[in-house]
Amino acid sequence: MATVQHRIKRTSYAFFMLTLLVIILIVFGRNYGLLGVPSSVSVVIGVFSFGGMALLWSAIGWRVKVDNRSLGSLLTQYVAVKVVGWLGKRQRERLEADTRDIRKAQEETLLKRLRKNANTYYGRLYEFSSIKDCVTFCQLHPLTGYEHYCDLVKRVAAGEEGVLIAEKPLILAMTSGTSGASSMLLSTKDTNTEFFLQGVAVCLDAMRKAFPASDSLQRTVKFFYAPTFRQSEAGIPIGPNSSTPASSRHMLALYTTPAPAFQVPSEPDALYLHLLFALKDPSVGTLESNFASTVFYAFRFLQERWSELVEDVELGRLNLVLAVDSGSNQIYGELLRRHYCRGVPFYSPFYAATEGLIGVNLWPEKEQRQYLLCPRSMFCEFLPEASLDEEQPPTLLMDQVQQGLSYELVVTNASGLFRYRIGDVVKVVGFHNQCPVVEFQYRRGQMLNVRGEKVSEAMFLAALKRAVTQWPGAKLVDYCCAESGILGESSGGSDPHYQVFLELKGVRNLTEEQRYKLDHCLQEDSAIYKSFRFKGSIGPMRVQLVGGGAFQELRGLMLASSQASPNTFKMHRVLRRKEYADFLQGKIIS
């Protein structure tokens, strides 16, 4: 029976493709005067066309959830879904093959990068043409940070060619600056191609398998905004490397927001339009954004301005939220699941950065956010957590890491970064065939460290969430910390300590005993922090409550005073600038 169904499906597909070919011939024939054919042939063409369109409608019809869509809109989406589905299946098969021989895939990826850039200034300096394997590369080339490339990127920005890469960059990509000053990196066509093929296509294939309802021709609410770009001396655009309306122009027909609305420069105005057209469209099936924080703030905005929107809104049903809700966005994902999107599946598809695609989540149905490293996106090395403070420690390769241990990632990408320490620490939680599966742990620049205790973002958040459960009625909305050193005299204590700013729902005050619960929970999780507290080397944590909306205002301040885009913004969990801490000091209510 299955064989018969498969043959019918193949025959139907062939008939459908033949019909499309016939339609194309008719269109071109009419336009270029090529249809001098007998009437009998015209009849045959008509029969094929009618039958093919009927077959096409039967393929589309079961996926349509509402009847207010035009045929052109449905056909555009159907073809796009089919093409991306075919690409996703093909790329997934390649990925599976690569994970079975990870050293081979990684070495081929590295040597491809080196050969392409061997004749650049940088390639000649480090003798790329003489390197024949990954071991030699690791021996000849040092580990690098951004300062290693800063002057070289400036030469590229000024218009000099062949400095770091053989091609001209598409843009000079600015990092979000979450763990320090923003860096300007190169972004190339290869970076974008890899992200789409190895990331988007593969993750959409995984999503359709995990959530079959997402294969219906429902529309997506895409929360992203037109960023502001400036120009380098040579006219190269400078701005964020995330997906933007311009870079996704061929996909805009799939979204609820009309194309012109994506060009509105003001984020609040653009968000209003996204919500307005989303709420009016009953065919909405997916909410999509780079980060869960963007979706969270959209719901907050909806709460504040619902009366303006509700006058001409007809609500649709949602069956999927697509956004990164790991790392610094974990708290927003939890809030969405608990309040605004209760019972709605969440999918965090990518592990990516300005440097490029790092990993893909092949398990959308799992609550834990785990990512398979992409063997052909970057050449990856791993620094054991114990050696993070060393300048040139030895590294491990993908086939040498151990499950259960944490490492800092070192990458060689397609855009002129070689053995580059990106500052992300990940934990190897398993393997898919030979390829590591990782969970993001923390950014090195976002650690609390006043005496050498090194408390990571993940450790602090775990302690905070446990403390909140001991505060009756309290729900955590947002938080960040500051080391007392940046606060000066306003820190409220002579011993080094942590200043913690919390936005809570359900309570407006905490007793001193309740505030101490957080300090106690962190001592339970960090033996080093506990020992420093016991000796008095670190003073007690100061926990302050800020008013509702304070973090949303802080987000606006951070965006205004940096080169970050709303599409790439991540809340700073450890504040490194005094003006941000001073801002929250002015919002304290308890």
Side-chain angles (χ1 to χ4, degrees):
M1 181 63 180
T3 304
V4 172
Q5 289 177 337
H6 181 65
R7 286 176 179 170
I8 293 174
K9 188 174 181 181
R10 289 179 60 186
T11 304
S12 300
Y13 178 76
F15 187 51
F16 166 57
M17 294 304 294
L18 179 59
T19 302
L20 284 182
L21 178 62
V22 169
I23 293 172
I24 291 170
L25 285 173
I26 292 174
V27 172
F28 275 84
R30 284 176 177 169
N31 287 340
Y32 297 99
L34 302 177
L35 279 184
V37 294
S39 58
S40 58
V41 176
S42 299
V43 171
V44 173
I45 289 175
V47 170
F48 268 108
S49 300
F50 181 80
M53 291 307 293
L55 178 63
L56 178 60
W57 180 250
S58 69
I60 293 176
W62 73 269
R63 293 179 168 88
V64 180
K65 300 295 185 182
V66 295
D67 57 6
N68 69 333
R69 300 279 301 277
S70 69
L71 180 58
S73 168
L74 290 168
L75 184 59
T76 299
Q77 186 170 355
Y78 179 77
V79 171
V81 167
K82 283 296 180 185
V83 170
V84 175
W86 177 81
L87 285 172
K89 183 179 178 182
R90 183 171 177 269
Q91 287 297 129
R92 178 64 185 269
E93 290 170 353
R94 281 196 66 189
L95 177 61
E96 289 294 327
D98 287 337
T99 61
R100 295 188 186 99
D101 192 347
I102 200 67
R103 176 64 73 97
K104 177 174 179 286
Q106 279 277 274
E107 193 154 81
E108 288 176 354
T109 300
L110 172 66
L111 295 180
K112 178 183 176 182
R113 304 274 187 267
L114 300 183
R115 283 195 297 268
K116 185 171 184 178
N117 299 305
N119 291 323
T120 62
Y121 164 81
Y122 194 87
R124 293 191 298 271
L125 182 65
Y126 286 96
E127 301 179 355
F128 283 178
S129 60
S130 69
I131 297 173
K132 307 301 181 186
D133 56 64
C134 54
V135 174
T136 305
F137 173 66
C138 295
Q139 291 171 346
L140 295 181
H141 196 289
L143 295 173
T144 63
Y146 182 66
E147 67 283 350
H148 180 81
Y149 300 93
C150 190
D151 291 338
L152 298 171
V153 172
K154 288 178 181 177
R155 288 165 58 181
V156 175
E160 186 176 345
E161 297 183 359
V163 179
L164 277 166
I165 55 176
E167 61 195 294
K168 184 178 179 180
L170 293 177
I171 65 169
L172 299 171
M174 300 301 301
T175 63
S176 62
T178 306
S179 55
S182 291
S183 303
M184 186 163 65
L185 306 176
L186 311 185
S187 181
T188 65
K189 183 180 178 181
D190 285 350
T191 309
N192 292 350
T193 301
E194 286 168 359
F195 191 92
F196 180 77
L197 292 178
Q198 300 183 45
V200 175
V202 170
C203 287
L204 286 177
D205 179 68
M207 184 177 76
R208 278 193 293 271
K209 290 177 180 176
F211 307 115
S214 65
D215 198 31
S216 64
L217 295 181
Q218 291 178 281
R219 280 184 163 172
T220 297
V221 182
K222 176 74 172 184
F223 292 112
F224 66 164
Y225 308 94
T228 301
F229 284 91
R230 54 193 174 92
Q231 303 288 317
S232 74
E233 306 103 288
I236 304 172
I238 302 174
N241 192 31
S242 63
S243 61
T244 66
S247 65
S248 307
R249 59 190 179 277
H250 300 303
M251 304 290 286
L252 295 184
L254 308 183
Y255 303 139
T256 56
T257 306
F262 282 111
Q263 302 308 314
V264 173
S266 164
E267 183 189 352
D269 291 342
L271 178 54
Y272 184 89
L273 291 172
H274 287 326
L275 291 171
L276 177 64
F277 286 103
L279 293 171
K280 289 182 69 175
D281 192 334
S283 65
V284 170
T286 303
L287 302 180
E288 180 182 349
S289 180
N290 290 351
F291 299 115
S293 58
T294 308
V295 183
F296 172 73
Y297 286 124
F299 276 102
R300 288 275 292 257
F301 187 93
L302 178 60
Q303 276 188 320
E304 295 167 3
R305 301 184 63 175
W306 66 269
S307 60
E308 300 172 55
L309 291 160
V310 77
E311 294 177 2
D312 58 350
V313 161
E314 182 181 0
L315 287 173
R317 295 187 63 189
L318 299 178
N319 59 27
L320 189 68
V321 175
L322 186 65
V324 172
D325 61 350
S326 56
S328 61
N329 281 274
Q330 178 183 344
I331 185 173
Y332 303 115
E334 292 173 354
L335 282 166
L336 286 168
R337 278 188 287 271
R338 194 163 60 237
H339 298 294
Y340 300 117
C341 302
R342 191 176 301 169
V344 177
F346 275 68
Y347 179 27
S348 177
F350 314 120
Y351 173 25
T354 304
E355 293 82 1
L357 177 68
I358 301 171
V360 290
N361 179 359
L362 299 182
W363 308 276
E365 69 282 1
K366 287 187 177 181
E367 189 169 329
Q368 286 182 302
R369 301 316 183 205
Q370 300 179 345
Y371 304 92
L372 177 72
L373 296 178
C374 296
R376 293 194 183 271
S377 178
M378 297 185 182
F379 174 69
C380 293
E381 301 172 63
F382 303 82
L383 285 173
E385 198 172 24
S387 63
L388 297 187
D389 292 333
E390 299 177 32
E391 286 191 12
Q392 295 293 327
T395 61
L396 301 173
L397 302 181
M398 274 197 189
D399 58 340
Q400 297 173 325
V401 296
Q402 296 182 42
Q403 184 172 342
L405 299 184
S406 295
Y407 305 88
E408 181 186 353
L409 279 175
V410 177
V411 303
T412 296
N413 71 358
S415 304
L417 296 175
F418 304 93
R419 304 200 74 206
Y420 182 72
R421 298 179 67 165
I422 64 174
D424 284 8
V425 175
V426 299
K427 182 179 181 179
V428 177
V429 294
F431 293 86
H432 182 73
N433 296 325
Q434 298 176 6
C435 191
V437 177
V438 303
E439 287 181 357
F440 176 85
Q441 297 297 295
Y442 60 90
R443 292 277 296 161
R444 287 190 65 199
Q446 287 283 281
M447 296 181 75
L448 289 162
N449 187 23
V450 296
R451 288 289 195 189
E453 70 281 8
K454 297 180 181 176
V455 173
S456 71
E457 178 183 329
M459 179 183 289
F460 184 87
L461 179 58
L464 174 59
K465 287 161 63 177
R466 202 161 67 253
V468 171
T469 64
Q470 302 176 53
W471 300 337
K475 297 287 190 298
L476 179 63
V477 176
D478 222 329
Y479 82 98
C480 68
C481 309
E483 296 168 356
S484 57
I486 73 163
L487 294 168
E489 295 180 358
S490 64
S491 65
S494 57
D495 293 327
H497 62 274
Y498 304 159
Q499 192 90 2
V500 183
F501 301 98
L502 303 177
E503 183 177 335
L504 299 177
K505 188 176 181 180
V507 299
R508 289 186 60 83
N509 195 11
L510 293 174
T511 66
E512 288 303 315
E513 183 181 359
Q514 287 175 322
R515 294 173 202 253
Y516 179 71
K517 291 287 187 184
L518 175 54
D519 197 299
H520 180 71
C521 287
L522 186 57
Q523 290 184 47
E524 289 180 333
D525 290 351
S526 172
I528 299 176
Y529 178 76
K530 182 177 182 178
S531 69
F532 279 126
R533 286 285 292 114
F534 180 76
K535 292 185 294 186
S537 301
I538 296 179
M541 202 180 294
R542 290 178 59 84
V543 179
Q544 310 279 14
L545 270 59
V546 298
F551 280 89
Q552 196 162 352
E553 293 181 45
L554 177 63
R555 176 179 181 270
L557 175 64
M558 289 176 167
L559 285 170
S561 57
S562 71
Q563 301 183 56
S565 159
N567 299 323
T568 60
F569 178 82
K570 297 185 286 290
M571 178 56 70
H572 304 195
R573 296 305 175 195
V574 178
L575 301 179
R576 301 298 184 194
R577 293 175 59 172
K578 188 175 186 300
E579 59 265 38
Y580 296 156
D582 288 342
F583 174 84
L584 287 180
Q585 293 267 43
K587 300 292 181 179
I588 291 174
I589 60 173
S590 167

